[in-house]
Amino acid sequence: MKAVAYANGMPHQRFVFVPMPVMGKSPAELRAYVDGKDPVTGKPVMAEVIEALSKPLSEEDKKKISFDRSTPRFVDSDTEANLHRLFLENQWTDRLPIVLPTEERVSEMLAATSHKPNEVVGRMRPTSTREAWEYTVEKVAVNAVMAGAKPEYFPVILALAASEVTARASTTTSAAAMVVVNGPIRHEIGMNWGIGAMGPYNHANATIGRAYGLLSQNLQGGSEPGKTYLGSQGNSYGYNSLTFAENEERSPWEPFHVQHGFKTEDSVVSIFRGCRTTSFNLGLREKHWREHVRNMLRGMNPHNPPTLILDPITARQFIDRGDFDTKEKLIQWIHDNATMPAGVYWDYQLIRNYVYPRALNGEEPYATKLKAAEDELIPIFRLEDIHLVVVGGETNGYWRIMGCHYQKSVSIDEWR
Amino acid sequence: MRKNGVNRNQEAAVGRSEKIVVMNPMGYPPTIKQLGMAPRLDSLDGKTVYLVDVRFDDGDILLQQMENWFTEHKPKVKTVFVRKSGVYTQDDTTLFQEIKEKADAVILGVGH
């Protein structure tokens, strides 16, 4: 809170805190908060409120402060051991060992793109209420080196940076990103879309995803626990941002990037955010597959729409069971079958926080959903928020649903 | 087959005391323009205080309890409880214009 106020030019903003949580507490319990003490200062809450509104501004409050906000190109020279310690102390890493970004290593990375080192790639922020920091091709390369990426991966990493979508959101919800790569570059740099594609053991998948996390935290101005990272439980997906390639060769449907306006021969990276809720299953049973899928969908957090991540075996089984010969047909079925009573839907805390205010403002389809009777079944998700990706090595028909928001797809070819 | 690390360890030992130069990984921050603080009130008596809910995590119930506290302990303060329009990340220009015109002070309940 204080960091956001500082970054928005209000370094002396006056705050009063009450205990957490506020969510779910009764009026009587919240009255006790009001009558109680600020957990940060130990002073009575209402005495602080009155003081914040009526205590004259001090000289400190009126003082103009200087914002030292420069970023040097280099770090002061030191031994490798001391530099590793410095990077840890400065919270420039994910706390795993890094490759120190010497000028030579960064130059090798920069040689893998036609773009100039000082070209601005984009701006990024940990949340919409914070200020956006700017970064160049060279700054992206520094983080790519730290992650252990090979230079041939650099166009993918630049495309991720150009998305301006952070993989290190400050949200208390512990969000992580998911990255899907399509097109010829998958072959060129040896990405994995088969056995174990979403796990360890592939250098490109592992280090591209790690680079995305490191560049996000450093280029947006930090991801400091308690200050600019507030995920209450955290999320180990964040170590490599669930980075994998789509199994285009074994998918029965058109690739994800073609669905989003690109050509088959284009190389593209697509980014999803959220990635907390995961549901998992094996295949589709003939008699009750519809009920099984509905159960999975109702188990998702209703604020994070489903992206189905299907092994090719399951993708073909969806065609066998439901005649879904295009992704669009299956997406429509998911939309129509992911339902719950309106009263239950509107009572979810995340729906209260993020959807209900939009419904009150008349935003569709939420406004129409709000008119439904308590027991009326309503679609949980918007059609346009539901997606399908095919990945896996066909060792069996396992599949999962990831609760996440698709953000955008970015050309990798433009960053070669 | 895994490689024997002995030779590489010896190499590393030689270079441990050497100083090297590495590059800074941080991006470039924007300039911050400092905003002046609003002058404070001498007393809240007879003044209008808006309590603004941003529609997050039951902050409205908390602010209503705060409004009750004012009624009981500071009856000369006029309180106005309002919910801003939209989710907490969205602006509400109409409400903030109303506050500029009608409020002497504001308590903004941020639900985080």
Side-chain angles (χ1 to χ4, degrees):
Chain A
M1 207 76 74
K2 290 179 176 174
V4 170
Y6 179 93
N8 283 283
M10 297 181 285
H12 304 301
Q13 177 74 353
R14 292 174 177 178
F15 291 97
V16 180
F17 295 93
V18 295
M20 286 289 279
V22 170
M23 168 202 67
K25 293 292 182 184
S26 67
E29 288 171 316
L30 293 177
R31 177 58 196 256
Y33 283 4
V34 172
D35 289 333
K37 291 181 177 176
D38 179 328
V40 177
T41 63
K43 296 178 181 173
V45 164
M46 289 313 296
E48 283 194 322
V49 168
I50 302 297
E51 184 178 299
L53 297 176
S54 57
K55 184 181 176 185
L57 300 182
S58 66
E59 288 308 308
E60 182 70 17
D61 291 334
K62 295 176 188 170
K63 194 169 72 179
K64 288 280 182 189
I65 67 167
S66 82
F67 297 90
D68 180 13
R69 308 263 289 171
S70 63
T71 302
R73 189 167 175 233
F74 295 100
V75 175
D76 291 342
S77 67
D78 211 330
T79 63
E80 286 198 27
N82 285 343
L83 287 168
H84 277 294
R85 193 177 303 120
L86 177 80
F87 273 57
L88 272 173
E89 287 171 358
N90 285 348
Q91 308 199 41
W92 288 342
T93 77
D94 51 15
R95 316 305 189 262
L96 295 174
I98 52 141
V99 176
L100 287 171
T102 61
E103 195 168 13
E104 184 184 2
R105 288 170 181 152
V106 173
S107 294
E108 288 170 7
M109 192 64 69
L110 289 167
T113 180
S114 60
H115 291 259
K116 298 274 188 276
N118 62 354
E119 179 181 334
V120 172
V121 178
R123 292 163 191 79
M124 199 176 280
R125 60 182 91 211
T127 185
S128 60
T129 53
R130 288 191 67 92
E131 82 283 18
W133 287 41
E134 189 174 271
Y135 42 89
T136 60
V137 171
E138 182 176 89
K139 285 289 186 185
V140 179
V142 171
N143 284 276
V145 168
M146 288 167 62
K150 294 178 182 175
E152 54 262 43
Y153 311 158
F154 193 42
V156 185
I157 296 166
L158 278 168
L160 286 165
S163 75
E164 300 186 325
V165 175
T166 181
R168 291 281 194 269
S170 62
T171 172
T172 55
T173 63
S174 305
M178 181 170 80
V179 172
V180 179
V181 177
N182 282 100
I185 194 136
R186 296 171 306 131
H187 292 275
E188 295 165 24
I189 64 176
M191 290 193 77
N192 185 12
W193 54 84
I195 294 174
M198 296 179 75
Y201 313 134
N202 178 274
H203 193 267
N205 291 24
T207 58
I208 289 170
R210 188 187 185 203
Y212 182 32
L214 291 177
L215 75 85
S216 293
Q217 67 186 69
N218 289 325
L219 301 182
Q220 72 184 7
S223 180
E224 188 179 335
K227 187 176 175 187
T228 41
Y229 179 82
L230 296 157
S232 194
Q233 292 187 309
N235 191 336
S236 62
Y237 290 157
Y239 277 115
N240 94 319
S241 297
L242 283 165
T243 300
F244 60 91
E246 189 169 30
N247 192 341
E248 297 177 26
E249 287 72 13
R250 297 291 296 162
S251 169
W253 300 308
E254 65 180 359
F256 188 84
H257 69 311
V258 175
Q259 283 184 284
H260 292 84
F262 291 90
K263 295 174 185 165
T264 308
E265 62 269 30
D266 294 338
S267 291
V268 176
V269 65
S270 300
I271 302 164
F272 301 73
R273 278 207 318 194
C275 302
R276 296 161 289 248
T277 321
T278 316
S279 185
F280 169 79
N281 211 342
L282 171 57
L284 298 170
R285 298 284 294 165
E286 184 177 6
K287 189 175 178 184
H288 287 298
W289 70 268
R290 293 174 188 82
E291 288 81 358
H292 296 163
V293 177
R294 287 183 196 122
N295 287 345
M296 291 171 75
L297 290 163
R298 272 204 187 172
M300 308 297 291
N301 147 35
H303 184 52
N304 283 113
T307 291
L308 275 61
I309 303 174
L310 305 175
D311 189 278
I313 289 175
T314 316
R316 288 193 295 276
Q317 209 169 26
F318 265 110
I319 296 174
D320 293 341
R321 297 286 188 230
D323 201 23
F324 305 117
D325 56 355
T326 65
K327 282 185 175 176
E328 287 73 21
K329 286 182 183 174
L330 178 50
I331 287 169
Q332 185 68 54
W333 186 91
I334 295 290
H335 172 266
D336 296 345
N337 283 272
T339 60
M340 68 169 61
V344 176
Y345 173 84
W346 287 112
D347 194 44
Y348 272 91
Q349 188 69 58
L350 282 166
I351 299 300
R352 302 295 301 177
N353 288 354
Y354 290 100
V355 181
Y356 182 65
R358 295 165 72 178
L360 289 178
N361 274 356
E363 188 176 331
E364 293 293 355
Y366 311 119
T368 298
K369 284 187 190 182
L370 197 55
K371 293 173 188 161
E374 279 270 308
D375 295 334
E376 184 181 339
L377 290 178
I378 59 170
I380 305 170
F381 309 107
R382 297 190 307 178
L383 184 68
E384 61 267 37
D385 293 334
I386 302 168
H387 300 281
L388 299 180
V389 179
V390 177
V391 64
E394 300 177 76
T395 57
N396 208 341
Y398 289 108
W399 62 288
R400 66 187 92 181
I401 303 177
M402 182 68 70
C404 55
H405 286 274
Y406 166 63
Q407 300 293 305
K408 60 173 70 169
S409 297
V410 180
S411 166
I412 294 167
D413 298 322
E414 288 181 13
W415 290 99
R416 289 181 188 268
Chain B
M1 182 181 289
R2 291 187 172 89
K3 292 178 181 173
N4 187 325
V6 172
N7 289 340
R8 286 196 293 179
N9 283 344
Q10 287 171 340
E11 254 177 52
V14 172
R16 271 176 199 159
S17 59
E18 275 182 27
K19 288 191 172 184
I20 61 170
V21 175
V22 300
M23 304 190 79
N24 185 308
M26 295 290 284
Y28 299 105
T31 303
I32 293 179
K33 187 181 173 190
Q34 189 174 353
L35 304 176
M37 293 178 74
R40 302 294 124 157
L41 303 168
D42 296 333
S43 164
L44 297 183
D45 289 350
K47 300 294 195 301
T48 301
V49 177
Y50 269 56
L51 296 104
V52 180
D53 170 46
V54 301
R55 296 184 180 277
F56 195 92
D57 274 6
D58 299 335
D60 53 346
I61 305 173
L62 177 76
L63 287 176
Q64 284 163 346
Q65 295 308 311
M66 197 172 279
E67 187 174 35
N68 291 344
W69 184 95
F70 273 103
T71 305
E72 293 164 21
H73 297 277
K74 294 276 183 184
K76 291 180 182 173
V77 178
K78 182 189 175 192
T79 54
V80 179
F81 169 79
V82 286
R83 294 184 177 92
K84 73 172 281 301
S85 145
V87 297
Y88 70 94
T89 54
Q90 294 173 311
D91 199 1
D92 184 350
T93 52
T94 306
L95 173 62
F96 292 124
Q97 185 58 40
E98 177 187 325
I99 287 171
K100 274 184 187 174
E101 291 168 7
K102 298 182 179 175
D104 296 300
V106 177
I107 299 168
L108 187 71
V110 182
H112 262 112

